[in-house]
Each structure stands twice: as structure tokens, then as C-alpha cells.
């Protein structure tokens, strides 16, 4: 009995506290279950400190009503008569100058960030199928191919990555002083129909597509009697390829050889890509050896940006001179330009850029990165020094977006180099001087 009384007295304070009802939570914190006001309540008034003034609340309420009305009756593009009339007006009057004619929809205007994702918002054209009668001066062609790589794959997604990096590009080149997109008819033909299951078939398809694109009438009319460098004397369109691993250069050279004969190759890369093939296997490290054996290249070819070991005997056999990456410290970018121009002279040029020419700090998303490369600014300066060369075709290759940063710096750098190449090609037509 004594033990029971002792336990009772010990529990008495707890029993008393439990018997007294706690104050209702809502009485102390009336909004505890709704910490945040709704926007409507926020505008209706409150005793909270720093609440907006009545004048501000009235304006905000009006804005909110307009936004609600807009949501209830959305207007998108051509579904709205006002928008349709606006774009029709722009198509008629031009984007920036009443005297210039803009296409419809306005691909080359600042407000063209919608629709199909083409390079620099150039006009999308189904060049190999339904639109094969469309005239152009330069065709942008993706080559989604990476099954001849020696290390990291992924360059098959390069064309899409480069297009993604080009969404803020277009208009005039402020350094070269021209606007390729206004001076020439530049179209985006999409990607070549390359299979991922057979290298031979994929490269043959690219060769056929490339040959088709350069053997059509050109859009620009040459009115001053300029004579073409082509063997047939006709003016031919040019192709800007987006790679894809570097093997895609071989189909391009095969197609170009039929139009111009052997061409001088300017090869920007950290690797020579001219090694003797292993048991005849074609890869992105030996396609130049095949090109030389097939007579597609002249005897005045040059590498630039090299910083990896090369197969010296086969490189000499293929008639390549070399500018090493670290030589820029001794001869500067002007010296690099002089070496290249002295080498190729006035001959037709194919200019190819492996994105690993740039240091991995500027372009990490590539299959075989090498430290000690050039900066993007140095690369642009060197390219500008080559602006008066007669470029019959060009490419930027080996962009593998899967290895890029979230800032997409490799894809943006690659797109910028394509933009510079297009500007250069517009400055210098492929004509005899």
C-alpha cells in the first residue's frame, strides 16, 4: 500500500499537467498551418511589416488580372491573327532594313529563337529529299559518325551539339567586317543519313550526300565574269560539315576531287591523322594516308596545333608540313599564319578543324584530348589570317557533347569556329585571280 502511494505522488505532477487543457494552437498562431499568404490575400491587405503600399497593390492586382486573362486566351504564333500579320510584315519588309528581303518565317532575325534548331537559325532545307531543287551557296551538313574512333566515342552527337551552341550566333562578323548570312544563301541541310552499323556504308552515304550537295547550281550570280577554280569551269556550292569523328574528311575529299582535283589540306589538330593503317583498317587516325594513296591531296598540305606523337615516315610520305602547338610561343600567331599560307599558296584548300586543337580548358568534350593546346582566341586570330584563302570545303569535328561541362563550352567553341569559317568563305569566293 505504501509503495502504491509513493508511485501515485511521483506521478501526480504529470497527471495534473495532462488534465489541464493546452491553449488552442490557432488562438496563439492563427496562420501556423498556412505560413504563406496566397497572392490574392497578399494584395488584399495585411498588417505584416514592409507590406506594399495600396498604390502598388492596385497596380499589381491589375497586372495579375491581365496575366490571368492572357492565360485564359493564349495566343501562339500563327494561331493569332495579330502575330501572323506581324510576321508577314517582317517577311515583306525585312528584319533590320526595309530594303532587304527576309524569308518567312524570319530565320535571320533576332526573335527567331523558336522552331527547328538549325545552325545560327539558318533556313532548314531537306537538301537530299523534298527540297533538292533549293539553291544555296553554302550547305551546312551534319555527319553523325563516331564508329571509327580510337578512344572515347560520342561524336555522332556532335552535329546536334554544335547547332545547340550556335543559337546565339548569326549576323555580322564584327572582326572580319562582313555578314555571311546576308551576303550568301546559307542553308542547314540537317544530317547525312549515316548508319551506325557499317562504317563502309555510312561513309559511302556521306560521300554520296556531299557529292550531291556540291554538284548543284549555285545561288549567287557571278556578274563580273569571275572564273571558277572547278575543273568544269562552273561555280559550285560549298559544304560546311559538322562532325562526327575525323574520318568524315575522306568522303568529302573524294567528292571534292571530282570537282577541283587534288586540293591542299590545312589540318588543325593535336594529332597527325596520317599514320600507316593497321592491316588496312580505316580509322580517324589514318584517313589522310588513304586520301594520299587515292590522289585526293596536293603536295602542299600542313598540320597545325600538333602536340601528340606522329607516325613520322607516313606523315612525310603524305606531304604534310607541321606547325607544333608550342611553336606559337616562339613564332606567335602571325608566324603560324605565315607558315600555313606559304605552304598552300593559291591552291584550292580544304580546311578541317579537330576541336582538340584547342586546349581541354576550352574544349574538354572530345574523344582524345591533349593538354597544351591553343586558346580559342589564338585559334580565331589564326583563322582570320587565312581569310583570303580559297576554301572549297571545311569542317569542325570530334565534338562529343557527353563529355562537355554543363555550360556547354566545347559546343559553343565549336559553333564559334564554324561561324568564323562561314565568314571567311563568304569573303573569298573560289575563283581564279
Amino acid at each position: 500500500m505504501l509503495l502504491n502511494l509513493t508511485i501515485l505522488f511521483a506521478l501526480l505532477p504529470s497527471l495534473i499537467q495532462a488534465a489541464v487543457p493546452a491553449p488552442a494552437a490557432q488562438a496563439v498562431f492563427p496562420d501556423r498551418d498556412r505560413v504563406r499568404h496566397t497572392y490574392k490575400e497578399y494584395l488584399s491587405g495585411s498588417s505584416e511589416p514592409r507590406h506594399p503600399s495600396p498604390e502598388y497593390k492596385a497596380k499589381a492586382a491589375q497586372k495579375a488580372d491581365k496575366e490571368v486573362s492572357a492565360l485564359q486566351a493564349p495566343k501562339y504564333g500563327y494561331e493569332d491573327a495579330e502575330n501572323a500579320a506581324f510576321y508577314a510584315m517582317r517577311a515583306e519588309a525585312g528584319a533590320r532594313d526595309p530594303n532587304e528581303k527576309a524569308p518567312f518565317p524570319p530565320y535571320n532575325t533576332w526573335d527567331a529563337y523558336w522552331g527547328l534548331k538549325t545552325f545560327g537559325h539558318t533556313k532548314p532545307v531537306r537538301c537530299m529529299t523534298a527540297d533538292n531543287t533549293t539553291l544555296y551557296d553554302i550547305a551546312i551538313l551534319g555527319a553523325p559518325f563516331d564508329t571509327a574512333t580510337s578512344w572515347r566515342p560520342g561524336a555522332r552527337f556532335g552535329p546536334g551539339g554544335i547547332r545547340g551552341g550556335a543559337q546565339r550566333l548569326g549576323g555580322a562578323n564584327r572582326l572580319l567586317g562582313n555578314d555571311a548570312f546576308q551576303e550568301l544563301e546559307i542553308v542547314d541541310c540537317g544530317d547525312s543519313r549515316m548508319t551506325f552499323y557499317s562504317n563502309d556504308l555510312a561513309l559511302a552515304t556521306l560521300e554520296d550526300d556531299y557529292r550531291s550537295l556540291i554538284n548543284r547550281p549555285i545561288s549567287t550570280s557571278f556578274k563580273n565574269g569571275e572564273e571558277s577554280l572547278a575543273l568544269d569551269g562552273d561555280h559550285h556550292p560549298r559544304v560546311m560539315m559538322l562532325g562526327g569523328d575525323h574520318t568524315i574528311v575522306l568522303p568529302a575529299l573524294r567528292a571534292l576531287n571530282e570537282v577541283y582535283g587534288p586540293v591542299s589540306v590545312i589540318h588543325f589538330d593535336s594529332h597527325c591523322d596520317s599514320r600507316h593503317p593497321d592491316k588496312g583498317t580505316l580509322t580517324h587516325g589514318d584517313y589522310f594516308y588513304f586520301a594520299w594513296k587515292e590522289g585526293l591531296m596536293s603536295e602542299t598540305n600542313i598540320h597545325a596545333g600538333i602536340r601528340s606523337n606522329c607516325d613520322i615516315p607516313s606523315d612525310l610520305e603524305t606531304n604534310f608540313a607541321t606547325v607544333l602547338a608550342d611553336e606559337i610561343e616562339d613564332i606567335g600567331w602571325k608566324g603560324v599564319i605565315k607558315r600555313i599560307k606559304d605552304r598552300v599558296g593559291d591552291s584550292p584548300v580544304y580546311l578541317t578543324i579537330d576541336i582538340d586543337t584547342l586546349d581541354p580548358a576550352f574544349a574538354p568534350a572530345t574523344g582524345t584530348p591533349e593538354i597544351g593546346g591553343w586558346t580559342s582566341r589564338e585559334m580565331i586570330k589564326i583563322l582570320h589570317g587565312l581569310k583570303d584563302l580559297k576554301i572549297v570545303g571545311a569542317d569542325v569535328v570530334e565534338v562529343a557533347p557527353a563529355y562537355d561541362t554543363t555550360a556547354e563550352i566545347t559546343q559553343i567553341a565549336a559553333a564559334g569556329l564554324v561561324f568564323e569559317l562561314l565568314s571567311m568563305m563568304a569573303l573569298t569566293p573560289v575563283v581564279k585571280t
Side-chain angles (χ1 to χ4, degrees):
M1 182 67 178
L2 182 60
L3 179 60
N4 292 337
L5 290 174
T6 303
I7 295 174
L8 180 62
F9 279 110
L11 295 175
L12 189 59
S14 300
L15 295 172
I16 295 172
Q17 184 176 3
V20 177
Q26 293 297 330
V28 179
F29 302 109
D31 291 323
R32 191 174 69 174
D33 294 334
R34 291 192 304 106
V35 175
R36 297 183 181 274
H37 294 296
T38 65
Y39 191 57
K40 183 178 180 180
E41 290 172 334
Y42 183 71
L43 293 174
S44 66
S46 170
S47 58
E48 293 181 10
R50 301 182 63 186
H51 201 74
S53 65
E55 293 79 9
Y56 178 88
K57 288 188 290 185
K59 292 180 180 179
Q62 292 176 1
K63 181 179 179 182
D65 291 340
K66 290 181 179 179
E67 291 174 350
V68 170
S69 299
L71 289 174
Q72 292 172 346
K75 296 179 180 179
Y76 299 116
Y78 304 113
E79 297 175 8
D80 175 59
E82 181 179 346
N83 286 352
F86 169 76
Y87 286 117
M89 176 272 293
R90 289 187 75 89
E92 182 63 29
R96 294 175 291 277
D97 184 344
N99 297 318
E100 70 183 33
K101 189 79 171 179
F104 181 81
Y107 300 104
N108 296 331
T109 63
W110 290 111
D111 55 344
Y113 298 100
W114 51 273
L116 296 175
K117 184 176 285 188
T118 62
F119 184 91
H121 305 286
T122 49
K123 183 178 181 179
V125 176
R126 296 165 294 182
C127 300
M128 278 72 74
T129 55
D131 303 326
N132 57 13
T133 59
T134 300
L135 299 183
Y136 49 81
D137 298 301
I138 300 177
I140 297 170
L141 177 67
F145 178 80
D146 65 2
T147 47
T149 53
S150 58
W151 187 234
R152 302 191 304 196
R156 69 178 64 181
F157 303 110
I162 297 173
R163 289 187 179 99
Q167 294 307 291
R168 294 184 63 251
L169 293 178
N173 187 313
R174 65 181 183 84
L175 296 175
L176 292 183
N178 72 321
D179 188 339
F181 299 92
Q182 292 294 330
E183 297 167 7
L184 299 180
E185 185 68 20
I186 302 176
V187 302
D188 194 328
C189 295
D191 291 351
S192 177
R193 303 156 291 180
M194 305 177 76
T195 180
F196 302 135
Y197 305 110
S198 167
N199 286 359
D200 291 342
L201 178 57
L203 295 173
T205 301
L206 177 60
E207 183 180 341
D208 286 344
D209 287 344
Y210 201 106
R211 181 180 292 107
S212 171
L213 293 177
I214 63 175
N215 282 287
R216 299 181 185 181
I218 197 169
S219 175
T220 295
S221 175
F222 289 83
K223 299 178 180 179
N224 298 320
E226 295 95 338
E227 188 177 354
S228 171
L229 287 178
L231 300 177
D232 60 6
D234 292 334
H235 296 285
H236 291 255
R238 291 177 278 181
V239 174
M240 170 65 65
M241 276 202 302
L242 313 179
D245 79 46
H246 223 149
T247 318
I248 65 174
V249 170
L250 181 58
L253 292 178
R254 286 171 172 167
L256 286 166
N257 183 257
E258 299 171 4
V259 176
Y260 299 100
V263 298
S264 294
V265 173
I266 300 175
H267 174 225
F268 289 96
D269 205 320
S270 62
H271 313 89
C272 288
D273 293 0
S274 58
R275 68 170 180 252
H276 193 284
D278 180 18
K279 299 179 182 179
T281 302
L282 174 63
T283 73
H284 72 161
D286 52 30
Y287 58 92
F288 277 138
Y289 190 87
F290 285 90
W292 169 252
K293 286 297 186 182
E294 294 178 21
L296 309 180
M297 302 189 301
S298 74
E299 297 184 357
T300 55
N301 312 300
I302 187 167
H303 305 299
I306 302 298
R307 53 193 187 276
S308 177
N309 293 331
C310 296
D311 182 347
I312 300 300
S314 65
D315 200 53
L316 294 175
E317 182 182 350
T318 52
N319 277 298
F320 271 100
T322 302
V323 181
L324 300 175
D326 56 358
E327 287 189 271
I328 199 170
E329 298 295 330
D330 302 316
I331 64 177
W333 57 268
K334 291 182 179 180
V336 174
I337 293 169
K338 184 177 187 306
R339 292 263 291 274
I340 294 174
K341 296 181 74 171
D342 288 348
R343 179 67 174 172
V344 302
D346 293 329
S347 59
V349 166
Y350 187 87
L351 197 156
T352 176
I353 301 176
D354 189 321
I355 197 63
D356 72 20
T357 309
L358 302 182
D359 189 86
F362 301 89
T366 188
T368 49
E370 305 284 354
I371 65 170
W374 291 339
T375 69
S376 52
R377 184 169 58 210
E378 289 169 338
M379 190 68 197
I380 291 172
K381 293 293 287 185
I382 293 168
L383 288 179
H384 286 178
L386 308 177
K387 63 181 182 296
D388 55 343
L389 297 183
K390 296 161 185 176
I391 301 171
V392 298
D395 63 61
V396 175
V397 301
E398 296 285 358
V399 176
Y403 310 111
D404 215 353
T405 68
T406 54
E408 301 177 341
I409 59 174
T410 309
Q411 297 160 76
I412 292 171
L417 296 181
V418 172
F419 175 76
E420 300 299 338
L421 288 170
L422 291 171
S423 300
M424 294 161 59
M425 293 165 78
L427 277 175
T428 307
V430 185
V431 297
K432 293 181 180 180
T433 53

